[in-house]
Amino acid sequence: MAMSFSPATPVRSIFQRKSLASLEFLTCYSRGTGYEKCHLNIGIAFTLRSAANYVRLGGGAKEYSGKLIVTKRNCPKRTGVFRCATIEEIEAEKSSIEKDVKERMEKTIETVRTNFNSIRTGRANPSILDRIEVEYYGTPVSLKSIAQISTPDSASLLVQPYDKSSLKVIEKAIVSSDLGLTPNNDGEVIRLSIPQLTSERRKELSKIVAKQAEEGKVALRNIRRDALKAYEKLEKEKKLSEDNVKDLSSDLQKLTDEYMKKIETIYKQKEKELLKV
């Protein structure tokens, strides 16, 4: 319970400053006149002794108590080890970013090429069946992994499965695809006749190819964006200077332009095949 001081009972106080290395707080317990028990921890502690009461002082607080005194002075302790990256580590990070960019851009080119090959032209091409998946014993597998595909002539394809029991599921997969082909199953092999494309169909397919080419270019730009963010992160970490980032960004743009040209080249080739009668 808080107690007030009266002139009749003056407070006699003795300040004792104890400088203790690496101390944090002092907790004092009062059990009667002139008795105190203090527990010291990290920090600088001050004790106050009086005949009848104890006063808690700390951070400007004014509080009186006859039972418990707790004085705390928190001193945040900062510890840590700072280690600068070596030149070898920085070069390794840069090389890792560059390697990742090239691998992803190469995969983008392959994806665009595969998509183009799946679009049939007026000539028979086994690659138009590359994206056909067959449910083989409950597991989806690519057609070319369970059958041999050949071109007996320029207007037909021959599908010869390694396991003849898979003829039915192969036929079903081809019918379900968007190729618009009608398979001829004779119990031994499947023959596919490649009809000539109409002028309207050629234009439709040309638009599809153009869209796929643009999607490939967007993918390349996204890869470039990710690499730029990685370089900026290294700059914030003080591993690269602003000039370093500018040089790397310039090289990255040149690489992106190079792969953009590759997409444009295979797009023009495919467009030429589609429009050729």
Side-chain angles (χ1 to χ4, degrees), residues 211-231:
K211 181 181 178 182
Q212 291 177 345
E214 185 56 34
E215 289 173 351
K217 291 178 180 179
V218 170
L220 292 179
R221 294 189 193 103
N222 289 340
I223 295 170
R224 174 181 171 274
R225 178 202 61 200
D226 293 343
L228 286 175
K229 287 183 178 180
Y231 288 143

Side-chain angles (χ1 to χ4, degrees), residues 225-258:
R225 178 202 61 200
D226 293 343
L228 286 175
K229 287 183 178 180
Y231 288 143
E232 289 171 359
K233 182 175 180 289
L234 291 179
E235 183 184 5
K236 289 180 180 178
E237 294 172 352
K238 306 301 181 183
K239 294 180 180 180
L240 292 177
S241 67
E242 185 178 350
D243 289 338
N244 291 148
V245 173
K246 286 182 180 179
D247 292 339
L248 290 170
S249 298
S250 177
D251 293 340
L252 180 61
Q253 184 60 56
K254 291 177 182 177
L255 184 65
T256 304
D257 292 340
E258 179 183 334

Side-chain angles (χ1 to χ4, degrees), residues 2-275:
M3 301 176 63
S4 62
F5 290 93
S6 65
T9 309
V11 175
R12 294 182 295 106
S13 62
I14 300 174
F15 285 88
Q16 297 178 343
R17 177 166 183 169
K18 299 179 182 180
S19 178
L20 303 175
S22 301
L23 295 181
E24 186 173 6
F25 63 86
L26 166 68
T27 304
C28 297
Y29 300 91
S30 173
R31 296 183 178 176
T33 303
Y35 180 84
E36 65 176 359
K37 180 181 179 181
C38 299
H39 176 68
L40 295 178
N41 250 332
I42 302 171
I44 302 299
F46 296 91
T47 63
L48 179 65
R49 185 181 293 113
S50 73
N53 301 283
Y54 287 96
V55 182
R56 187 175 77 180
L57 300 179
K62 297 180 180 179
E63 185 174 340
Y64 303 94
S65 172
K67 293 184 178 181
L68 176 64
I69 298 177
V70 180
T71 301
K72 294 185 179 181
R73 288 181 178 270
N74 294 321
C75 301
K77 187 176 180 181
R78 295 184 179 181
T79 59
V81 178
F82 295 91
R83 176 178 174 274
C84 296
T86 63
I87 295 176
E88 289 78 10
E89 289 172 337
I90 295 172
E91 287 297 324
E93 288 193 59
K94 285 167 54 181
S95 298
S96 176
I97 294 171
E98 292 168 1
K99 181 181 178 182
D100 179 65
V101 166
K102 289 182 179 179
E103 288 180 352
R104 291 175 63 190
M105 287 189 174
E106 281 293 338
K107 287 180 181 178
T108 299
I109 295 296
E110 287 304 313
T111 299
V112 171
R113 186 177 281 114
T114 299
N115 290 338
F116 284 176
N117 288 338
S118 66
I119 297 177
R120 70 181 182 88
T121 59
R123 295 179 61 85
N125 186 346
S127 60
I128 67 173
L129 300 178
D130 284 352
R131 298 177 67 184
I132 298 292
E133 283 195 344
V134 180
E135 195 75 18
Y136 188 62
Y137 291 106
T139 304
V141 296
S142 63
L143 173 57
K144 60 183 180 181
S145 68
I146 62 172
Q148 181 180 355
I149 305 170
S150 58
T151 52
D153 54 63
S154 61
S156 64
L157 291 173
L158 188 66
V159 180
Q160 187 171 4
Y162 302 125
D163 178 7
K164 290 182 181 179
S165 65
S166 63
L167 278 169
K168 287 290 184 181
V169 289
I170 291 176
E171 181 181 5
K172 180 181 178 181
I174 294 173
V175 172
S176 301
S177 71
D178 58 356
L179 294 176
L181 300 176
T182 303
N184 180 13
N185 182 1
D186 63 5
E188 295 289 333
V189 296
I190 292 177
R191 290 182 173 81
L192 298 170
S193 296
I194 309 299
Q196 288 295 318
L197 297 175
T198 63
S199 178
E200 291 182 1
R201 182 57 178 165
R202 290 178 189 276
K203 291 179 180 178
E204 290 175 3
L205 293 176
S206 182
K207 290 179 181 179
I208 293 174
V209 168
K211 181 181 178 182
Q212 291 177 345
E214 185 56 34
E215 289 173 351
K217 291 178 180 179
V218 170
L220 292 179
R221 294 189 193 103
N222 289 340
I223 295 170
R224 174 181 171 274
R225 178 202 61 200
D226 293 343
L228 286 175
K229 287 183 178 180
Y231 288 143
E232 289 171 359
K233 182 175 180 289
L234 291 179
E235 183 184 5
K236 289 180 180 178
E237 294 172 352
K238 306 301 181 183
K239 294 180 180 180
L240 292 177
S241 67
E242 185 178 350
D243 289 338
N244 291 148
V245 173
K246 286 182 180 179
D247 292 339
L248 290 170
S249 298
S250 177
D251 293 340
L252 180 61
Q253 184 60 56
K254 291 177 182 177
L255 184 65
T256 304
D257 292 340
E258 179 183 334
Y259 278 90
M260 287 284 193
K261 289 179 181 178
K262 288 183 179 182
I263 288 183
E264 191 65 22
T265 298
I266 59 178
Y267 163 62
K268 292 295 183 183
Q269 290 174 349
K270 188 64 178 181
E271 186 181 41
K272 184 177 180 181
E273 290 178 13
L274 286 172
L275 297 178

